[in-house]
Amino acid sequence: MIRNYQHLDFAPVTHCNTRCLSCSHVSPFTKPWFASPESMAIDLDAIKPFLHYDYLAIVGGEPLLSPNIPEFIQLAMASGARGAHQRGGRA
């Protein structure tokens, strides 16, 4: 059975370079970590038989700290998502 969700979150980074008052993450205090486009592709392929989503949200930390944002957006669109968006984004 395939579950349907409105959106799926993907975090290409866990760290952040700002300290927003409304942030509920520990991102400003974590060591830098970057996901690779290859790891995103593997994850999206792994969930495909079980999960359908309309939008893929690129989140973090601060997602714009990743040097691979264009590749992540391309992978999100190629996955069948109707849209990809980045939330946060104050790099």
Side-chain angles (χ1 to χ4, degrees), residues 22-52:
S22 63
C23 183
S24 62
H25 301 262
V26 295
S27 301
F29 309 103
T30 61
K31 292 181 180 178
W33 173 86
F34 297 92
S36 68
E38 295 80 16
S39 68
M40 181 183 184
I42 290 168
D43 290 347
L44 292 176
D45 284 344
I47 65 171
K48 196 171 191 172
F50 310 104
L51 182 69
H52 174 267

